Every structure is written in structure tokens, then in C-alpha cells.
Amino acid sequence: MTPQGAYFDGRSGVRHRVFLYPAQDAVWLRGDGVERREPLAEVEISERLGSAPCLIRFRDGALCQVEEGAELDAWLKAIGHRERTMSRLQRSTGLAIAALLVTLLTAYSGYRWGLPWIALQLAERMPSEVGETLTQQTIAWLDRGLAKPSTLKAARRQKLEQLCARLQKADGAGAGHARLLFRSAPRLGPNAFALPDGSILMLDEMVNFTQDDQEIAGVIAHELGHVRARHALRAMAQGTLLGAVTAWWLGDFSPLIASAPVALLNARYSQAFETEADGYAIQLMQRTGMAPGRLGDLLERLEVWRQKKGKDDDGVLSSYLSSHPPSEARVRMLKGLR
Amino acid sequence: MQSDPARMPLMTVEPFQFTGAGGEYFRIWIVNVLLTLLTLGVYSAWAKVRRLQYFYRHTRVAGTVFDFHGQPMQILKGRLIALALFLAYTFADQIAVGVKLFMLLVLGMVMPRMLRSAYRFRWHNSSYRGLRFAFTGTTKEAYSVFLKWGSLATLIPVFLPVFYHRLRRYQHGNSRLGSTSTHFTATPGEFYGIYARAGLLLLVLFAIAAGVILASAELWQGLLPLPQGTAKVDDPATRKFAHLMLAGLFVLLAMLWMPVRAYVTARTQNLVWNSTRLGEHRFRCTLGARRLLWIQLGNFLLVALTAGFYMPWAMVRQARYRAECFSLLPEGSLDHLLADASEPATATGDEVSELFDLDFGL
């Protein structure tokens, strides 16, 4: 049986019913007042996509539509048409399952290792002006409302700066020189931040919350860990890339679904950074003869403070928004190192 | 429609039909996804050609399917240009103060031109019965639609329906199939009607949601195993419950826009297609807002639950419903459609091959 087709000459919408005959290396169709024979190299036979009809496209714009089926298969074989690999692959169930598995694997390893690696490369190659601009923008934004000038005495600040320098010296060569910025921000509570340009923002609330120099040294050492590994820039790059990938994956379909997993997926990254900074802080403190366990004490008290504060105001939201979740494991790990 | 009843039997209806299937499309889609991931996005241009081929060749009216002729390299080119513009705009602030504003002006100036080019790309690369579509909208009109009405609608949302009217008129009033041109007859007033009702719907839904939340707040307190007024936030069970409720509430509020969007989509599609003529041939579009909402809601939930892997089925479901509601009302035979004599059928002439596509989706 030869397959039937609907032929259009490319000049009008008139449909010609034709039959396709087998001819070596040629497309030969006849019927309904048309006869045409073209070498196979002169026509384009469409890629087969599931049950969609096959389209034979001629150079002059003519077109022949042939339904999928055994007859088409036999005819294509008879005329010596070779299907492209890609087109064959797309029809195999086994390959679809394999592709699904490899996709899941690629997505997972991309998330676990690929994206952090790219972010690291970007952060390391970022010109220092970018970090400086971002820091200026952040500080300017804080100073517009959230933050007030620090009320710490000059002598106290100087002492903290000396502490910071001492800790950095313990790292040895190439540690650079991290600047300490002081502000007061009651609404942010006891907190400290590593900024993109490598400086550390220390809030009065944090300084006053610590009970001794070893505790505040622990905080500075932890933030130095973030600074040393460029966590601020890396976190930004990771967040942006993650957002771009999820937007590509789901954004066309629904921006709502696309934005939801970003925060969830980002949480793992920020936890990894916290652990890394803790590890660095332990090293610095041990080298300067301080007890890393003191940082654990501080984190434990911070957690108690947060829970107490959570009871006073809407604790539900604040626990979601906190970027420093001092997990029990962190505290336990640090306190083990007296 | 007030037409002579005696003429009714003569009117033929050619329903559109979508013959694709989710499982079948999944095979094509997953290979596209994998190769796009492995090539860091470069393959997405080839993926797009395959996707459009699949949906065009599965869309059938009067026994014949549509065909897409676009070349991946042209799509890739468009994507690279769009990416460059996006990056330039995003990082404009890092270069110097004021560059962002300059970039915004540049974007505003080139965007209408680029969108027109994208329409031309899409139309010229689509065909039916061996006849190419063509887009004949002028650059001048593109500036009027996107720059004038687009920015006016952004600044003063009251003009949004006018903008949509101009946009659809630009697309549907400037098309050709072969040598047969389209005409678009909808008025801005009809668009205002749709958006006014959509606004009312949003208001009603918002009131209902607020009512439900307030009413259930009483209920939650009753459900909690605590005496009134002594809710202990640090009790883990209570906290977990509160978190869950809060999360549910956010999802509920965020989903309010879905019925409104379904309504606007269905009504706009119906209006636009019922007001479009191709020569003497007309169209009939009868999308139901409620049916569309159910399909979109189901798709939304299943895509979310499967982390995106339901997407091929979702796309097929939506395409099938749209085709189901869509018919061609031919006036006489489609045989009389003719190719455009001024343009050789084969040629994607020099200018057309200079065109590029503009969008990022897979």
C-alpha cells in the first residue's frame, strides 16, 4: 500500500489528493491532476514528532502532508530516507526515561556543586569596585532608616579594631585588612554582617550582648570567615543564578511557582556558608589562644533571646526571616571545643 | 449575530483540533530539557523549534496542519541580543550613575522595533496549506502601540485596556495568509468592558477571602487546645500549627489572581478572534472562563507537586482545550486562498532572514 497525502503547490490553497510511490532516492507523487518527482536531496522531509503528520517540503514552497503510520514507514524506507538520530531518539521510551534520570542527576549536581562553583568563579573575578559599590548602597540604605550612628566609646571601638587585627594576623599571609564599621540598629537586634567589599558591620546591640572579649572575638572571627571566603558576593551570585534557573524552568508557566522554591533552595547554601565560617572562626580562635566554645555560648544565648523576643512580638515571621539560624548542631559542635 | 436564518445551513464550521498527547510530548520535552541543561541554555533555540513544530503540526483545521519554518540560529541570535540588553540594563548602575536611565531610554527606543521584528519572524515562518503568513505592521505603528500607549498604560493604568486593544489590533489587523489580509474590528470599549468586569470580580473575590479569613480566625482559636488569651507561642505544636495556617493563607491570597486571569484570558481571546476576519473567512472562539480556570488550577497544582515535570501534560491540556473552542467559519472554499505574488513562496528573503525571535522560554 502506498501512503496517501494532501499536496499543496505553494501558490494556492487548493488541496490535491495524491499517492506517494516508492522510487530510489526520490519523492514521487501523483494524483488529482498533479505529478511530481524530485530527488530526495531537493526536498526536506520533516522530523517525525510523535503522531504529528509528516510534512514533505519542496524547494518552491509546495508541501505534501502525509499521516503517520505503517504505510509512511514503509515508503520512507523504500525511498532510502534516513531519519536523523535526534528524531529517532525522541521517539524512544527508554531514552525518555534515561533523559529524565540524567536530567534529575544534572539538576541535583548543578545545584549541589555546579552553581556554587560558578558563583565562586564569578566572585573571585568580580572587580573590587563592584563590592565597594554594593557595600555603599547597602550602608546608604541602612542609614536611611534602620541604622543610627554607633554610641560605642572611641576607646571601645579601637579595642575591637585591635582584636580584629589580631585575629586576622593569626590567619597568616594574604588575609588582607578587614575594616570594622559601627552602627546601632535596635530593630535588627544583636547582629553582625560581612559586607561584599570585605568590611564587617558590627552593631552596638551585638557588642553589648557579648559578655567578654572572647565572645566578641568569636563573632568577629566568624564574620572574618565570611569575608575570607567572599560569602557575601557568592551568596548574591548564587541567589541570582538560582533565580534565573528557576525562572527559566517554571517562569513561563507561573511566576508564583517559580519564586517559591528559590528561598527554600537558598537556605542550604546559606547554611553551608555558616558552617564554613564557624570552621574558620574555630581555627582563628584556637591560634590566638581563645576558646571557640565561647562562640557556642554566645549563639546559645542568642537563640534564647530570639525565642523570648519571638514571644513578645509576631514570632512567626521573624523566625522565617532570620538569616542566621543557629541550629542546635552548630552550638553543640562549638561548645565541644573548650 | 443577526443573520438571515435561511442562510444558516450554508454556513460551514471547520473546528480546530489539537491531536498531541502529553506522554508523547513528554519524550520530546525531556530531551529538550536535558540538552538545554547540558549546553547551559544554548540548545534552547533548537528546543524551541521542536516545541513549535510539535504544537503547529498537531493543530489541524479543515484536514490540514500548520507548519513552522524558523531556523534555530535566528532564534539563538534573538536570545543573545535580548540577553545582552538585559545584562547591560541590570549592570548599568555598576558602570556609572545615570547609565541606567540612559539604558532605559535606549530600550524604549529599540523595543518596538525588536517586537515588530519578532512578530515578522513568527508570522513569516508559519504556514498553512503551503501558504506563508506575513506580518505587515509598520514600524511607525509599533512605536505608537508600545512607546506611546505602552508607557501611558504603565503610568496611568486606566489606559491599560486601550493599550491591549492597540496591541491586538496591531497583531490581528496587520496579518496576511498568502495574499489574503486580516481585518480587526474590536473597539477599545469592548476591552474596557472585560477589564471592568475583571476588576469587579477581583473585588468580590477579595471580599470573600477576607470574610473567610476573619471567620476562620475564630475557628482556629477554638481548635487550639488552649484557654482564650493565653496562646503560648513557644509551645512547638502551637507554633507549627500557626506557621502552617500562615503559609496556607499566603497561598490562598496569591491564588486570588488565577480566576481573574482566566476570565481576562478567555474573554479577550473570544473578543479578539470573533472580531478578526481573514478575507471573508471568520473565526469563532468560545473559551469558557470557568473551564479555563479549572484546567489552569489543575495544571498549577500538578506542576507544583511534580516540581515542573507535569509541564508537558499541562501544555497539551491547555492547547487541546483552546483548539476545542476554536473554529474557522469559511466563506466559500479555502481553495481560493492564494499565495502572495509579490513574494516568492520559497524565499525567506534577505530581510526576513535578518529577523530574529525574541523570548526566553523553553
Side-chain angles (χ1 to χ4, degrees):
Chain A
M1 277 291 279
T2 53
Q4 258 189 51
Y7 175 79
F8 301 94
D9 62 9
R11 292 187 296 276
S12 80
V14 178
R15 185 217 308 250
H16 304 270
R17 190 184 298 219
V18 293
F19 287 94
L20 291 100
Y21 297 100
Q24 192 57 45
D25 291 320
V27 168
W28 178 25
L29 51 88
R30 204 172 62 184
D32 233 17
V34 203
E35 170 151 19
R36 195 161 180 180
R37 190 175 174 144
E38 296 284 348
L40 206 49
E42 292 287 307
V43 298
E44 189 192 322
I45 295 177
S46 71
E47 183 182 284
R48 298 175 75 181
L49 290 169
S51 58
C54 175
L55 299 177
I56 303 166
R57 305 170 186 126
F58 294 85
R59 282 262 165 98
D60 59 0
L63 173 90
C64 187
Q65 173 182 326
V66 190
E67 300 303 325
E68 270 291 335
E71 288 160 0
L72 177 69
D73 279 339
W75 179 76
L76 285 172
K77 210 169 161 189
I79 64 168
H81 169 66
R82 265 190 301 167
E83 196 179 355
R84 279 163 64 193
T85 326
M86 198 50 223
S87 160
R88 256 204 330 273
L89 289 181
Q90 284 178 130
R91 285 192 290 153
S92 126
T93 308
L95 193 97
I97 294 168
L100 175 62
L101 291 177
V102 180
T103 301
L104 290 171
L105 210 70
T106 312
Y108 181 73
S109 38
Y111 168 60
R112 215 34 223 282
W113 302 288
L115 218 146
W117 184 82
I118 296 172
L120 179 66
Q121 302 306 315
L122 282 175
E124 276 177 354
R125 279 162 187 72
M126 201 78 81
S128 57
E129 290 85 19
V130 176
E132 281 157 23
T133 314
L134 288 169
T135 304
Q136 280 163 16
Q137 285 170 355
T138 311
I139 295 291
W141 176 77
L142 280 172
D143 284 344
R144 268 204 293 277
L146 224 48
K148 287 182 293 209
S150 167
T151 53
L152 290 182
K153 296 219 168 65
R156 179 83 170 123
R157 287 194 214 177
Q158 208 181 353
K159 212 174 155 212
L160 289 173
E161 267 155 7
Q162 279 165 2
L163 197 57
C164 179
R166 197 177 129 213
L167 282 163
Q168 267 195 301
K169 226 198 232 151
D171 186 30
H177 182 73
R179 209 157 42 108
L180 278 183
L181 300 172
F182 295 98
R183 290 286 187 287
S184 165
R187 277 166 64 198
L188 292 176
N191 228 327
F193 305 91
L195 298 171
D197 72 340
S199 46
I200 295 169
L201 175 66
M202 180 66 71
L203 297 184
D204 289 3
E205 288 71 20
M206 178 55 111
V207 178
N208 296 331
F209 191 80
T210 53
Q211 289 175 344
D212 56 34
D213 276 1
Q214 288 212 12
E215 280 189 1
I216 194 81
V219 174
I220 295 174
H222 175 92
E223 298 306 325
L224 282 173
H226 285 314
V227 167
R228 183 70 207 266
R230 295 170 176 273
H231 283 166
L233 279 177
R234 280 164 69 188
M236 260 183 62
Q238 282 174 351
T240 310
L241 289 171
L242 207 57
V245 173
T246 45
W248 162 74
W249 180 237
L250 294 166
D252 266 2
F253 185 72
S254 157
L256 180 64
I257 305 186
S259 57
V262 177
L264 218 66
L265 292 169
N266 239 332
R268 190 201 178 90
Y269 288 153
S270 67
Q271 269 163 28
F273 284 167
E274 294 312 318
T275 311
E276 204 185 327
D278 280 346
Y280 183 84
I282 290 169
Q283 278 186 14
L284 284 198
M285 292 183 84
Q286 280 172 342
R287 276 187 217 159
T288 44
M290 290 187 257
R294 302 288 296 121
L295 178 57
D297 292 338
L298 174 69
L299 289 176
E300 203 173 26
R301 282 209 326 281
L302 265 176
E303 178 65 359
V304 172
W305 176 85
R306 284 214 176 93
Q307 283 190 1
K308 194 164 145 262
K309 185 169 172 279
K311 196 157 67 175
D312 295 340
D313 52 45
D314 52 330
V316 181
L317 266 185
S318 63
S319 75
Y320 276 124
L321 296 174
S322 123
S323 58
H324 261 246
S327 62
E328 273 176 55
R330 255 180 96 191
V331 173
R332 226 180 303 129
M333 194 266 290
L334 285 163
K335 290 191 76 169
L337 300 159
R338 287 276 160 194
Chain B
M1 276 193 275
Q2 295 284 316
S3 60
D4 181 8
R7 276 195 55 172
M8 289 305 273
L10 285 174
M11 195 174 78
T12 48
V13 177
E14 294 284 1
F16 276 72
Q17 206 189 343
F18 182 74
T19 54
E24 184 184 276
Y25 181 53
F26 176 77
R27 291 169 205 197
I28 292 154
W29 178 84
I30 190 72
V31 174
N32 279 343
V33 165
L34 177 60
L35 292 175
T36 303
L37 275 180
L38 292 179
T39 58
L40 298 177
V42 174
Y43 186 79
S44 70
W46 279 260
K48 181 171 179 179
V49 170
R50 293 220 152 79
R51 185 196 76 204
L52 287 176
Q53 276 275 324
Y54 186 83
F55 281 88
Y56 274 48
R57 276 161 58 192
H58 268 301
T59 305
R60 189 180 280 254
V61 62
T64 329
V65 299
F66 291 80
D67 195 9
F68 179 69
H69 307 263
Q71 296 300 309
M73 284 311 278
Q74 280 175 285
I75 292 175
L76 189 64
K77 199 170 92 184
R79 289 186 176 193
L80 289 177
I81 291 171
L83 184 69
L85 282 174
F86 172 75
L87 288 179
Y89 177 69
T90 311
F91 293 107
D93 265 357
Q94 309 294 338
I95 305 165
V97 184
V99 177
K100 198 152 202 154
L101 195 72
F102 176 71
M103 273 305 298
L104 203 65
L105 281 173
V106 171
L107 278 181
M109 290 316 288
V110 298
M111 205 42 108
R113 209 174 266 276
M114 288 175 72
L115 285 168
R116 172 175 174 262
S117 158
Y119 293 157
R120 295 190 67 199
F121 175 82
R122 191 65 173 271
W123 267 248
H124 281 270
N125 284 312
S126 304
S127 74
Y128 177 67
R129 292 193 164 218
L131 305 174
R132 293 274 181 144
F133 288 87
F135 182 72
T136 55
T138 60
T139 310
K140 198 179 147 200
E141 205 180 336
Y143 276 107
S144 155
V145 172
F146 296 109
L147 208 59
K148 189 169 119 203
W149 289 106
S151 36
L152 204 62
T154 316
L155 295 174
I156 314 165
V158 179
F159 287 111
L160 217 58
V162 188
F163 168 63
Y164 285 122
H165 169 258
R166 294 295 141 105
L167 176 63
R168 295 315 191 120
R169 193 177 70 179
Y170 186 54
Q171 294 172 325
H172 285 242
N174 288 310
S175 304
R176 268 193 289 127
L177 172 59
S179 60
T180 315
S181 302
T182 58
H183 303 277
F184 185 67
T185 52
T187 61
E190 289 171 294
F191 279 80
Y192 269 107
I194 293 172
Y195 283 88
R197 278 189 284 268
L200 211 66
L201 180 66
L202 188 66
L203 227 75
V204 169
L205 286 173
F206 206 80
I208 292 174
V212 167
I213 289 161
L214 286 177
S216 56
E218 294 278 304
L219 208 75
W220 303 348
Q221 285 198 340
L223 280 176
L224 288 177
L226 294 166
Q228 283 284 330
T230 60
K232 277 193 277 181
V233 183
D234 48 352
D235 173 35
T238 316
R239 263 174 92 149
K240 211 169 163 185
F241 184 75
H243 289 200
L244 228 81
M245 278 296 168
L246 207 75
L249 225 123
F250 273 125
V251 173
L252 194 79
L253 282 175
M255 279 168 86
L256 269 187
W257 58 268
M258 286 192 80
V260 180
R261 196 186 62 162
Y263 177 83
V264 170
T265 309
R267 287 303 148 94
T268 309
Q269 285 290 318
N270 292 348
L271 170 64
V272 160
W273 281 106
N274 293 333
S275 317
T276 302
R277 273 187 301 120
L278 174 70
E280 292 304 309
H281 309 296
R282 284 175 297 129
F283 299 91
R284 190 169 68 196
C285 190
T286 55
L287 283 172
R290 237 167 298 163
R291 258 303 285 289
L292 194 65
L293 174 64
W294 281 124
I295 291 172
Q296 285 179 345
L297 216 61
N299 283 347
F300 178 87
L301 289 176
L302 283 163
V303 166
L305 284 177
T306 58
F309 286 93
Y310 185 74
M311 198 89 79
W313 284 272
M315 284 162 76
V316 162
R317 258 178 90 188
Q318 185 137 335
R320 193 178 300 141
Y321 179 60
R322 278 175 189 236
E324 247 171 56
C325 299
F326 197 44
S327 327
L328 175 69
L329 310 176
E331 187 70 41
S333 169
L334 292 175
D335 287 358
H336 301 315
L337 292 170
L338 289 177
D340 182 14
S342 66
E343 199 175 347
T346 46
T348 34
D350 264 353
E351 200 201 355
V352 175
S353 65
E354 284 299 305
L355 297 175
F356 49 82
D357 189 33
L358 256 194
D359 78 311
F360 279 112
L362 181 70

